[in-house]
Amino acid sequence: MSDQIFIYVLYVLPLGIPLIFFLIRRSRREKVAEETWQENVESGLTEPASLHPVIDPNICLGSSACLLACPEEAIGIINGKGVLVSPAHCIGHGACATACPVGAIKLVFGTEKRGVDIPQLKPNFETNVPGIFIAGELGGMGLIRKAAEQGRQAMESIKKRGRGSASHDVVIIGAGPAGIAATLAAKSHGMRYVTIEQEETFGGTTLHYPRGKIVMTAPMKLPIFGKVNLRETTKEILMKIWEEVVVKTSIKINFGERMEKIEREGDTIYVVTDRSSYPTHSVLLSIGRRGTPRKLDVPGEDMEKVVYRLIDPEQYRGKKVLVVGGGDAALEAALAISNEPGTKVTLSYRSNAFSRVKPKNRQLTEQAGASGRLSILLESNVKEIKPGNVVLDQKGTKIDLPNDAVIVCAGGILPTPLLKDIGIDVQTRHGTGSFDQQSLHSKRPIP
Ligand SMILES: Cc1cc2nc3c(=O)[nH]c(=O)nc-3n(C[C@H](O)[C@H](O)[C@H](O)COP(=O)(O)OP(=O)(O)OC[C@H]3O[C@@H](n4cnc5c(N)ncnc54)[C@H](O)[C@@H]3O)c2cc1C
Ligand code: SF4
C-alpha cells in the first residue's frame, strides 16, 4: 500500500497537477470565448471586414497557438476548436495562420453573407485603366509595412511610365502608410507629384487606432528617410514616427482636400478634388478601405466646427457638443466627451433605438442619459447647423440647441462605387480567393 502511495506521489501528482491547472485555464478561456462570441452576436458584429481566417474544425487540434498569436484577441477556443469569436477585430495579419501547427487555418476575403470588393491589379499595381494604380489596403492586403512597401513599389512602376504632356507626373490620393511611402518615392525620383489627403493630418487608418493600441508591425524601409526599425509599438510612437518622416523629408501633402472624381481626356487624367483639378500622367489610389465619412447634407455643414471623427475628447471641455449617429463610434464619442468637465453633450440618432451596438456601450449610454450627463434625442434629424446653434427635428417638433461643435459619426461611403465609376474592374469575394503564407509575405494575392 505504501508502495502504491509512493508511486502515486512520484509519478501521478507531478503530471496530474499541471494537467488540472491546464484544464482549469482552458475551461476559463472557453467561457470567455463563448461570452465574447455571444456579445458579438447580440451586437450584430459577426462579419469580418476583409481578409480573415477560416479555421477547419476537422483539422484543428485546439492547440491555442492561433489564440496566443493573435494580437487583436480575435480568436477563442470553443468546444476544443479555434473560432473567430470577434470577427470585427480581425485585421487579417495572418499571424494565426502562421502559428497553427497543423495548417488548419486559411485566410480568405469576405464571407457568404458579406462580400468584399477587390480591385483587379496587374503585378505592377496598375488597374485595367491605363495610368491608374492602386497600393495598400484598397488592393486587398493591408497592414502597415505591406501598405508602405506597396506604395514604394507602385511608384517604381509609375516612374517607368515616364512623363506625359500633363503638368504632373503623378497624383497620389491618401496619406496613410501607402501614400506616405509613395510620396517619399516620388520625391526621391524627382517626380512632379501632388499628394492629397481628405483629413487634416497624415497616418490614415493608423491615426484612428484607439489610444495606447499595441501595434504589431515589421521593420520597413522608407525612401529618403531610411529604415524604420519597428516590431511591437504603440499608436502614439507610430504617429510620432510618421511626423518625423514627414517633417525630416519635407514632403508636401495637401491636407483637407478630397478627391471626388477622376476623368480622362486623351492621355491626360484629371483628378478632381473639392478644391481643384489636377492634370496628370498617372494616379496612385492609396485611399485604404475606410472610405469617406458620410455627410448629413444640411445647410451649415461646411463650418469648421463640424467634424467627422472624434480625435481628442479634451478639446471639447466646457463646450456644448452635438454628436450625430447611433453606432458604436457615435456612442463612444458622446460618452467620452460627456466625461470631460463642463461639457453639455446631446446625442442625436434618427432611429428609435441603438440596436447594432456593443451591449456595454448601450448600457453606458442609457446610464449617462438617465443620470442627465448626456441628452439623448432618438428619432431626430439635424436640419441646419448655425454658428452658435443647431436646429433639429424630432417627430415633427423643431428643437433649437445652443452649440459649439458637431461630431458626425454616420458611417462611411465605401470606395467601390468610385472605383467602378472610374472603370476599374472590381470583383466581389465571398470567402473565396485565399492567401497562402508565402503570398502573405510577398506582394500579390492569389486570384
Ligand atoms: C483597428 C485596427 C487596428 C490595426 N492594427 C494594425 C497593426 O497592429 N499592424 C498592422 O500592420 N496593421 C494594422 N491595421 C491595418 C493598417 O492600419 C492598414 O492596413 C493600413 O493603415 C493601410 O494603409 P493604407 O495607406 O493602404 O490605407 P489607410 O491607412 O486607410 O489610408 C488611406 C488614406 O486615404 C485617405 N482618403 C480616402 N479617401 C480619400 C479621398 N477621396 N480623397 C483624399 N484622401 C482620401 C484617408 O483619409 C486615409 O488617410 C489595423 C487596422 C485597424 C482598423
Ligand atoms: S488574421 Fe490576424 S487579427 Fe485576424 S484572427 Fe488571425 S492573427 Fe488575429
Side-chain angles (χ1 to χ4, degrees), residues 118 224 237 291:
I118 307 290
I224 309 176
I237 293 175

Side-chain angles (χ1 to χ4, degrees), residues 91 136-137 142-144 174 177-178 197-198 204-205 209 213 216 259:
I91 55 160
E137 191 148 10
L143 302 183
I144 300 161
E197 166 55 56
Q198 65 187 1
T205 298
Y209 292 167
K213 181 196 183 303
M216 307 290 287
M259 176 269 291

Side-chain angles (χ1 to χ4, degrees), residues 51-53 69-72 74-75 84 89-97 107:
L51 190 65
H52 65 281
C70 175
E72 310 303 323
I75 294 192
L84 188 63
H89 284 191
C90 176
I91 55 160
H93 0 82
C96 50
L107 297 166

Side-chain angles (χ1 to χ4, degrees), residues 12-44:
V12 181
L13 265 188
L15 288 174
I17 290 173
L19 183 67
I20 289 168
F21 275 113
F22 170 77
L23 291 174
I24 292 174
R25 207 174 57 199
R26 186 171 181 136
S27 129
R28 276 201 200 126
R29 269 192 188 154
E30 290 222 4
K31 193 163 174 274
V32 171
E34 273 169 32
E35 284 170 3
T36 308
W37 173 243
Q38 273 318 316
E39 199 175 288
N40 285 317
V41 170
E42 280 167 35
S43 312

Side-chain angles (χ1 to χ4, degrees), residues 227-296:
K227 194 167 178 191
V228 179
N229 215 350
L230 282 181
R231 286 180 195 279
E232 186 176 325
T233 186
T234 61
K235 173 205 171 165
E236 287 69 21
I237 293 175
L238 182 64
M239 293 315 297
K240 280 216 174 85
I241 291 172
W242 291 139
E243 190 176 343
E244 198 188 330
V245 169
V246 172
V247 170
K248 270 199 179 158
T249 60
S250 311
I251 49 172
K252 188 174 175 323
I253 301 172
N254 295 357
F255 293 114
E257 182 166 2
R258 180 196 313 230
M259 176 269 291
E260 294 191 328
K261 58 182 170 177
I262 294 180
E263 292 167 339
R264 178 186 288 272
E265 244 180 65
D267 265 0
T268 301
I269 303 169
Y270 289 86
V271 174
V272 181
T273 73
D274 51 359
R275 281 197 218 152
S276 190
S277 172
Y278 301 98
T280 178
H281 190 48
S282 303
V283 172
L284 179 67
L285 290 167
S286 45
I287 57 177
R289 294 193 154 254
R290 291 168 61 94
T292 298
R294 199 177 298 280
K295 291 192 161 193
L296 298 175

Side-chain angles (χ1 to χ4, degrees), residues 368-381:
S371 70
R373 197 158 53 80
L374 182 63
S375 163
I376 301 171
L377 296 177
L378 292 174
E379 294 182 81
S380 67
N381 288 295

